[in-house]
Structure formats: C-alpha cells, structure tokens
Amino acid sequence: MSASQQAQRERHELAELLLVVGPDAPTLCEGWTTTDLAAHLVVRESRPDAAPGIVVGPLAGWTKRVQDSVASQPYPELVRKVRTGPPTLSVFSLPGMDGAANLLEYFVHHEDVRRGAPGWQVRDLPPELADALWGRLQKMGSLLFPRVPVAVTLERTDGAGGSITVRKGPEGVTLRGPAGELMLRAHGRKAVNVDVIGSPEAVAAFESASLGI
C-alpha cells in the first residue's frame, strides 16, 4: 500500500471516528474539541490564505478567525469535508501530496481523537503503516527535536526493530517503543506507550522540552 493510500485510510477512519464521538469530544490538542480539530483540517487543505498561520505565529490571529468561522457550520458537513479532502484547486490535491503531506497529519490527528479521553489503548497498526512511520522518523527525525537540550535516540520495538540517533549531545535519552508511538511522542504527544531511558537529569531535560516542528 502506498503512502497516499495509507493517508487516505487514516483520513477515512478519522472521519468515521469524528462522527462516532460527536462534535464536543476532547482531543490531545490542548483546548480543541473534535469540532476544532476538524475545522483545522478543513482550513489547512482549503484556505491557502489562512493555512500559513497554523505554523507562523504572527498570522495565527487570522487563522483562528477563519477556523472559528469554519467550525460554526453543521458538524456533519464539517466531517464530510474532512472525509472528501481538498478542493480541486488546492495544492493538497496534487498527485502524491496525500502521501507526502498528509500521512503524518492524519495519523497524528486520528490518534489525537482516539486518545482524547481516558481509557484509550494503543492501536495495532498495519505493518506497512508502522514501517512508513519509522521511515519518516529515519528521514526527518532530527527536525522534530530541535529544542531538546540532550541527545535523543529512538529505538523501535515493533517490526524489524532498529534504532536511530536524531539529536546528538554529550548526554542523552533513549525513547523506546513501537514506531507509531515514537512518532506521536516526537510530535509532542505524551499519551503514548514510550519508555524514556536515561539519567534523571537527562530525562527531566527531555520532558521539559518542546517537541515537533
């Protein structure tokens, strides 16, 4: 299964889950309900004027106003737009963009909804998805830990296993867990099944750092 097909699967499973849990369910995104998260996804793919504010602080005010407006529409319609994907003229509709830009986005946000309430369990990921996530960590892992003041090694415990050092330093930590859990932790999520191994000082420094791009 290609990365684009995997991204599509995550998109459709997320849309189904959004309908099941309803518009006011909590998510791992601080301050966001499922309505807010769905609106974020729609804005990201369909409003090029507002999407830059997702990552550029000075533009965040305009993005929030647009996102709040999008969130005000009926929830079933909002979820329909998440499910059907970007409009034809969106950059996200270009061939290959689903795999390149949406696989991580939809995997992480799918888990944000799954784990938003107590009682969540680690999902048994299809092997090809787990391998794809590990491949992304191998390629871009160093970009996800830029503000961590200690060395970081990721050690995969599922699939074929393996380890990669994504940040160098004199002292560090090892994050040990399945590929999907490591990806979530790299994106700053703490509701994960990952062991953080190192000296008390190194672990404390890691836990206090901001993760993700």
Side-chain angles (χ1 to χ4, degrees), residues 77-200:
E77 174 63 12
L78 191 60
V79 176
R80 184 193 67 78
K81 291 180 178 179
V82 172
R83 185 193 304 275
T84 56
T88 302
L89 296 181
S90 169
V91 65
F92 288 96
S93 67
L94 294 173
M97 281 298 288
D98 247 348
N102 282 339
L103 178 58
L104 298 188
E105 181 80 8
Y106 279 87
F107 168 75
V108 172
H109 285 321
H110 186 184
E111 294 299 325
D112 284 336
V113 176
R114 290 189 69 254
R115 304 178 190 213
W120 61 268
Q121 295 183 349
V122 174
R123 184 163 45 125
D124 187 13
L125 300 182
E128 67 270 18
L129 174 57
D131 288 344
L133 296 175
W134 181 245
R136 296 294 173 91
L137 285 171
Q138 290 175 309
K139 292 179 180 178
M140 61 176 290
S142 60
L143 301 177
L144 299 172
F145 299 87
R147 293 171 291 278
V148 177
V150 296
V152 179
T153 296
L154 308 181
E155 183 177 322
R156 184 185 182 187
T157 58
D158 63 338
S163 64
I164 50 173
T165 296
V166 293
R167 187 158 181 84
K168 297 181 179 179
E171 184 181 18
V173 296
T174 295
L175 308 187
R176 181 178 295 162
E181 300 301 294
L182 293 172
M183 180 62 79
L184 291 168
R185 190 67 189 89
H187 278 79
R189 275 52 174 183
K190 293 190 175 181
V192 296
N193 184 19
V194 169
D195 295 321
V196 183
I197 303 165
S199 70

Side-chain angles (χ1 to χ4, degrees), residues 38-55:
H40 156 77
L41 292 172
V42 172
V43 168
R44 175 178 173 268
E45 292 189 330
S46 65
R47 290 293 303 264
D49 61 314
I54 294 173
V55 293

Side-chain angles (χ1 to χ4, degrees), residues 24-37:
D24 300 314
T27 75
L28 293 185
C29 300
E30 185 176 357
W32 279 7
T33 65
T34 40
T35 293
D36 298 315
L37 191 150

